[in-house]
Amino acid sequence: MKNSFYLLIASFAVISACKTTKETSTTTTTNTTEVKADCGSAAYSYAADIKPIFNQNCNGCHGPVKLRGALDFTIDEVLYAQAKSGKLVCAIRQEKGCAAMPAYNPKLPDETIKKIECWVNSGMAQ
Ligand code: HEC
């Protein structure tokens, strides 16, 4: 009897833990990488800072010509959706759970990764 009481408490704890996780994941748009970049007061914009990085490093494979991974980053909605889902930062940081990018090329320099990450975390200004 005592055991089933503990079991009941334990299952309740598991259920509420799941509920909490679900709630936070639907309400937050920031990425969930373990270590966040220290962005300070840096403010980046898509047009001035991010687009040139993508044109140079990504859009040769992720554009209208080569639609690798079915992702065309010259379309803003596509890029923003990948950023919001956390896939973008995951890919350039080459973490587990996503494809390491840029494919077949050296990892982006730390400063560039940080720039993209800070842009994503600060709300992706145009
Ligand atoms: C040489 C070609 C190539 C280059 C350059 C490249 N990618 Fe990719 N990318 C791919 C391919 C192929 C896939 C699909 C891989 C897969 O699903 O395993 C992909 C998938 C992705 C994904 C989805 C990952 C996932 O797990 O869902 C993201 C995000 C991404 N690329 C971002 C980038 C970014 C950002 C850059 C530039 C820094 C970049 N890629 C450069 C070929 C490339």
Side-chain angles (χ1 to χ4, degrees), residues 4 16 19 25 29 39 45 49 52 63 65 72 78 80 95 97 101 110 117 124:
S4 51
S16 21
K19 205 171 164 226
S25 68
T29 50
C39 301
S45 80
D49 306 294
V65 180
D72 181 347
V78 174
Y80 277 69
E95 290 171 343
M101 293 293 136
D110 287 348
E117 202 180 334
M124 300 179 277

Side-chain angles (χ1 to χ4, degrees), residues 7-70:
L7 193 67
L8 188 72
I9 298 286
S11 6
F12 183 73
V14 169
I15 291 164
S16 21
C18 291
K19 205 171 164 226
T20 319
T21 318
K22 202 176 171 196
E23 273 165 10
T24 42
S25 68
T26 48
T27 48
T28 51
T29 50
T30 47
N31 76 65
T32 51
T33 45
E34 314 88 57
V35 191
K36 282 196 175 179
D38 176 14
C39 301
S41 57
Y44 299 113
S45 80
Y46 176 65
D49 306 294
I50 306 303
K51 197 176 178 184
I53 299 173
F54 273 81
N55 281 340
Q56 196 182 336
N57 300 287
C58 317
N59 294 354
C61 284
H62 294 290
V65 180
K66 287 187 187 173
L67 199 57
R68 295 293 182 259

Side-chain angles (χ1 to χ4, degrees), residues 54 57-58 61-62 68-69 71 73 82 87-88 91-92 97-99 101-105 108:
F54 273 81
N57 300 287
C58 317
C61 284
H62 294 290
R68 295 293 182 259
L71 296 167
F73 291 144
Q82 285 295 305
K87 283 273 177 184
L88 178 60
I92 57 171
C98 55
M101 293 293 136
Y104 309 110
N105 285 281
L108 295 174

